[in-house]
Amino acid sequence: GSEMCIRDRTTDVRYVKGIGEARAKSLEKLGIRTLGDLIAYYPMRWEDRTRTVPVRELIPGEYACVRATVAQDPRGGRIPGGRTLVQVRAVDEGGVLDISFFNQEYRKTSLHKGETYIFYGKADGQRQRRTMVNPLVEREGQQLLTGRIMPIYHLTAGLNQSTVARAVRQGLDECGDLPEDVLPDEVRRAHQLCYIGFAYENVHFPASPEALALARRRLVFEELFLLSCGLSLLRARRETAAGPVCRAVDMAAFYDALPFALTGAQRRAIEQSVADMTSGRPMNRLCQGDVGSGKTMVAAGCAWFAAQNGWQTALMAPTEILARQHYETLSPLLARLGMTCALLTGSTRARERRETLAALAEGRIDLCIGTHALLTEDVQYHRLGLVITDEQHRFGVAQRSVLAHKGVSPHTLVLSATPIPRTLALIIYGDLEVSVIDELPPGRQRVDTVAVGEKYRQRLNGFIHKQVAEGHQVFIVCPLVEENGETQDERKAVTAYAQHLQQQVFPDLRVSVLHGRMKPREKEKVMAAFAAGESDILVSTTVVEVGVDVPNATLMVVENAERFGLSQLHQLRGRVGRGKAKSWCVLLSDSQNEETRRRLKVMTDTNDGFKISEEDLKLRGPGDFFGSRQHGLPELKAADLSCDMRTLDEARQAAEALLAADPSLTAPEHGPLRRRVAALLEMKDGTLN
């Protein structure tokens, strides 16, 4: 029986030869449950270990392969702390390599004087005497992990690179010709794509850099193609639904009542939304613009318009602080227009909550602002006609649909502060119309951005002192650091750094800390305290992206800026410059890498979020966009393999062309495609986020 090839993506991974119960448990931590998951667990990067480097050309701090001969018998034994140390000296024509193995006592007997090995590891030391600690060792001619392009995978505790690589190898061997090709032949040929079997084999174990490029392009194309097909079908399904009926109303009454003039872009977004709401079909619009571009006013205009038509509006924010900020902005403004607003969050007191619920059910509240507390069973609306979600972070499709079920299919407006290039928006939000707010309201100021190296540290610390002395506040953001696929404990790292700053650098200032391991409640407490001025410096991992207004913060410092994507840096920069005072963003990086320098230069040159996201895509491919925020979409795996914008466009056009010819994918040769798209949509409708 074991000879028979398992032919099914859904086979449980523990039945794959050589994997078994224990290993299956570890793999499950990586989200790998089935054979299909295993072969689609793509490497995060690849290392070219085909080249060996002479000892004297080793670069300290970088990984490399060396071919060297053991010069004398290994020596060593126990060292303090119960560890063992084995030391070996190896040589090649021009250099000496001293190697230390900790806790690998067997190396004493397994390495032999006079034999030649391939050592792969991180080099250190001086030019004449290089060193390596715990390198990978393989006998020349018996190489599995060197002499080729190696996949490097994301890991979790209990797994190392070779375990994962071996599991994937087993999976691929067991597949044989398993993966049925979902791409119809004509599409594959028209876009010069390789077969799926070749793609899986070469994305994990590339025969050459060229084969790897072909494999990546094929997998990314397929994923974007499937997504485009799915979203087009969703859109077609929705065009038949009826939306809450609205008649046109003169918006001048709204504009005139505002204490300030809206920008042309804001008015355009409102007009586009109003046109949707009067069309007879449910509006499904995304309004995107930079932090501070005034999306809240677009929400206000739409809520006012809905109220003129006798409909209620629900506005959903991802956190309590944000919900409160929206409420404080909108409530007084809309009161002038005769509208009632209410705030409903998890911490609303029981009595107040009962009163609000009664008023909502009776239709005495026009706009209810809140967190997902708006979604609980007991919240009933009188006539819910418009749902606005602030998609600053993930509002899943699931949450949106719960809300939608409370009314008839209401009009929906999604606000997003992530400017996404048009091409990508077409794919990600394939079932949304898009409005773009591409001008800042007058009075918003430019944040000056500088990129500097470590040697400016003293001057920067002086500048921080000066800002705080003037009564302002400072953000310091640290990236999560990855070593060889494993993320270090961010809580420890960022807390230790904050302690160092508090004790050694700014003993006279108040330093607070924020990290991703905190519970949402704790995060909100720290953020609210910082916003209230109870600390001077907030040290955090990227969680500060969650949009809390701290008008008093005038300086954003980003450590190791090279580890962030441009769009992320732009988001972080948007956290300052929200008050009256002049604001700065300082990007710290000692990276000598050309591309990094180019990326950081983009940040210092422009403040336009759309320009920046275009650049980001050019430099890094769409994986970053799909990766960092799931947008309530099916999780995309291949997009991380990064591809150029052309692939993105081609995949979308190919999907459109195919659906134009066969709108419901009924042709027999589109069977595999139809099944995969159906699976994708099924996921999307349910609980995807």
Side-chain angles (χ1 to χ4, degrees):
S2 66
E3 290 313 296
M4 225 188 73
C5 176
I6 309 179
R7 294 232 181 278
D8 187 359
R9 295 186 80 96
T10 61
T11 306
D12 190 320
V13 71
R14 60 178 174 213
Y15 301 127
V16 174
K17 206 167 104 213
I19 288 186
E21 294 286 335
R23 195 154 293 164
K25 274 215 169 54
S26 303
L27 289 173
E28 190 170 343
K29 286 194 202 139
L30 297 174
I32 300 175
R33 291 179 188 79
T34 64
L35 183 54
D37 296 336
L38 181 60
I39 58 178
Y41 190 69
Y42 305 123
M44 58 171 178
R45 56 191 169 84
W46 294 263
E47 278 177 3
D48 189 348
R49 300 184 187 171
T50 47
R51 282 191 336 113
T52 56
V53 178
V55 169
R56 61 157 187 255
E57 283 172 34
L58 289 173
I59 301 167
E62 294 195 9
Y63 283 85
C65 280
V66 174
R67 182 177 169 281
T69 307
V70 171
Q72 27 185 264
D73 287 325
R75 51 181 209 290
R78 300 212 153 279
I79 52 171
R83 300 195 299 163
T84 61
L85 167 63
V86 173
Q87 292 177 310
V88 179
R89 172 164 290 187
V91 296
D92 66 3
E93 297 76 82
V96 175
L97 180 65
D98 282 327
I99 304 166
S100 310
F101 294 101
F102 288 97
N103 292 340
Q104 302 185 12
E105 220 173 346
Y106 64 92
R107 299 284 189 196
K108 221 165 141 174
T109 48
S110 68
L111 295 174
H112 303 290
K113 180 172 158 184
E115 303 245 353
T116 301
Y117 300 90
I118 307 292
F119 299 97
Y120 174 78
K122 187 157 131 189
D124 272 307
Q126 276 65 53
R127 185 158 210 152
Q128 272 55 51
R129 296 263 309 273
R130 293 281 187 232
T131 60
M132 271 186 188
V133 175
N134 289 3
L136 221 146
V137 184
E138 295 190 317
R139 183 160 292 187
E140 199 179 14
Q142 302 176 354
Q143 293 156 255
L144 285 171
L145 302 172
T146 57
R148 43 186 290 216
I149 299 173
M150 273 303 284
I152 304 294
Y153 300 94
H154 267 294
L155 299 175
T156 172
L159 286 171
N160 58 26
Q161 291 298 342
S162 56
T163 313
V164 177
R166 268 204 299 273
V168 172
R169 179 72 273 163
Q170 293 293 156
L172 288 172
D173 291 347
E174 205 123 328
C175 285
D177 45 4
L178 151 96
E180 60 172 351
D181 222 322
V182 294
L183 287 187
D185 263 352
E186 73 268 19
V187 173
R188 209 178 41 70
R189 279 199 297 272
H191 297 278
Q192 284 131 9
L193 299 163
C194 63
Y195 281 106
I196 190 66
F198 179 92
Y200 276 127
E201 178 65 38
N202 283 281
V203 78
H204 290 292
F205 305 110
S208 66
E210 296 69 34
L212 175 58
L214 283 172
R216 283 160 72 165
R217 181 164 178 269
R218 156 70 210 235
L219 292 167
V220 173
F221 185 99
E222 175 182 305
E223 190 165 73
L224 298 172
F225 177 81
L226 281 170
L227 186 62
S228 300
C229 284
L231 292 172
S232 300
L233 291 174
L234 266 188
R235 177 179 265 168
R237 224 194 279 172
R238 224 195 25 255
E239 311 233 291
T240 56
V245 182
C246 293
R247 53 174 210 302
V249 176
D250 183 9
M251 291 302 295
F254 172 74
Y255 298 137
D256 297 345
L258 296 178
F260 43 79
L262 294 185
T263 62
Q266 285 173 312
R267 289 180 102 142
R268 194 174 61 234
I270 292 175
E271 306 296 340
Q272 289 170 333
S273 305
V274 165
D276 287 353
M277 289 191 271
T278 50
S279 72
R281 283 203 306 276
M283 159 164 84
N284 207 19
R285 183 168 287 279
L286 166 73
C287 170
Q288 55 169 32
D290 257 335
V291 174
S293 58
K295 296 178 291 286
T296 320
M297 294 324 299
V298 176
C302 293
W304 180 81
F305 174 79
Q308 300 310 296
N309 276 286
W311 294 103
Q312 290 170 303
T313 299
L315 168 65
M316 229 156 98
T319 65
E320 290 204 6
I321 304 186
L322 269 166
R324 193 161 296 112
Q325 279 184 358
H326 282 315
Y327 179 71
E328 283 160 9
T329 313
L330 292 174
S331 188
L333 194 78
L334 293 173
R336 305 164 67 145
L337 288 152
M339 283 174 66
T340 16
C341 289
L343 178 65
L344 203 54
T345 68
S347 56
T348 304
R349 300 261 148 72
R351 197 179 118 214
E352 196 185 328
R353 183 181 173 91
R354 277 198 304 278
E355 287 165 10
T356 304
L357 291 181
L360 264 181
E362 290 161 24
R364 288 182 311 197
I365 290 173
D366 301 302
L367 169 63
C368 193
I369 299 172
T371 51
H372 33 253
L374 294 180
L375 295 182
T376 49
E377 278 301 301
D378 57 347
V379 184
Q380 296 302 326
Y381 298 84
H382 179 59
R383 289 186 79 210
L384 179 62
L386 170 64
V387 173
I388 304 174
T389 57
D390 187 343
E391 189 96 334
Q392 174 92 37
H393 273 52
R394 332 197 162 176
F395 250 121
V397 175
Q399 288 152 317
R400 276 201 294 249
S401 64
V402 172
L403 250 170
H405 294 319
K406 288 187 182 289
V408 277
S409 44
H411 298 298
T412 54
L413 178 68
V414 178
L415 309 176
S416 166
T418 319
I420 292 173
R422 184 90 194 118
T423 335
L424 203 52
L426 280 170
I427 287 198
I428 296 189
Y429 294 113
D431 61 335
L432 294 181
E433 304 300 324
V434 181
S435 297
V436 169
I437 308 185
D438 46 14
E439 46 184 316
L440 285 185
R444 283 288 307 198
Q445 40 153 323
R446 255 193 73 123
V447 175
D448 282 349
T449 305
V450 291
V452 297
E454 202 46 53
K455 58 174 190 290
Y456 283 86
R457 177 73 65 183
Q458 289 311 115
R459 284 170 60 185
L460 174 62
N461 290 345
F463 187 59
I464 291 176
H465 263 120
K466 186 163 163 281
Q467 286 303 304
V468 176
E470 289 171 12
H472 299 306
Q473 289 165 284
V474 180
F475 284 109
I476 299 183
V477 175
C478 312
L480 293 180
V481 183
E482 284 206 348
E483 276 289 321
N484 215 359
E486 292 223 43
T487 310
Q488 44 137 286
D489 180 353
E490 64 167 295
R491 186 176 33 200
K492 276 213 303 258
V494 68
T495 315
Y497 185 55
Q499 266 177 342
H500 161 74
L501 289 178
Q502 178 70 80
Q503 288 158 9
Q504 318 290 311
V505 192
F506 304 112
D508 49 333
L509 307 182
R510 299 162 302 168
V511 179
S512 58
V513 156
L514 190 61
H515 56 73
R517 293 282 176 81
M518 290 177 164
K519 301 199 167 52
R521 272 258 185 276
E522 292 175 72
K523 278 187 204 174
E524 292 210 5
K525 238 168 66 192
V526 175
M527 256 341 273
F530 184 64
E534 290 164 28
S535 54
D536 305 306
I537 299 177
L538 177 63
V539 181
S540 86
T541 48
T542 48
V543 276
V544 294
E545 283 183 55
V546 183
V548 170
D549 237 340
V550 186
N552 191 36
T554 52
L555 174 59
M556 165 62 71
V557 177
V558 183
E559 303 273 356
N560 297 102
E562 74 281 351
R563 293 177 185 268
F564 293 96
L566 282 180
S567 306
Q568 254 182 325
L569 288 173
H570 182 65
Q571 286 283 37
L572 290 171
R573 170 167 66 185
R575 297 279 124 239
V576 295
R578 314 185 108 185
K580 302 276 174 285
K582 173 89 199 99
S583 294
W584 290 267
C585 173
V586 177
L587 306 175
L588 276 158
S589 173
D590 264 341
S591 170
Q592 299 307 310
N593 180 316
E594 270 306 291
E595 177 167 309
T596 300
R597 298 229 140 140
R598 220 176 40 239
R599 270 195 11 228
L600 296 181
K601 185 160 167 22
V602 173
M603 291 296 299
T604 56
D605 288 350
T606 176
N607 277 59
D608 175 337
F610 288 93
K611 268 211 195 81
I612 285 173
S613 63
E614 288 287 358
E615 282 300 311
D616 207 8
L617 268 179
K618 277 210 245 20
L619 291 166
R620 312 212 304 174
D624 181 55
F625 280 89
F626 290 122
S628 55
R629 294 190 184 66
Q630 261 10 123
H631 299 95
L633 276 184
E635 192 176 349
L636 296 177
K637 297 193 173 122
D640 269 334
L641 304 175
S642 99
C643 63
D644 54 13
M645 291 308 291
R646 276 216 317 280
T647 308
L648 209 90
D649 249 351
E650 275 183 54
R652 193 175 53 80
Q653 286 162 4
E656 275 171 18
L658 185 83
L659 286 171
D662 181 8
S664 43
L665 301 178
T666 40
E669 68 273 21
H670 296 156
L673 177 62
R674 188 176 61 245
R675 287 193 291 280
R676 280 284 286 284
V677 171
L680 198 68
L681 292 186
E682 198 158 52
M683 289 164 66
K684 187 166 165 47
D685 276 359
T687 51
L688 226 144
N689 192 22

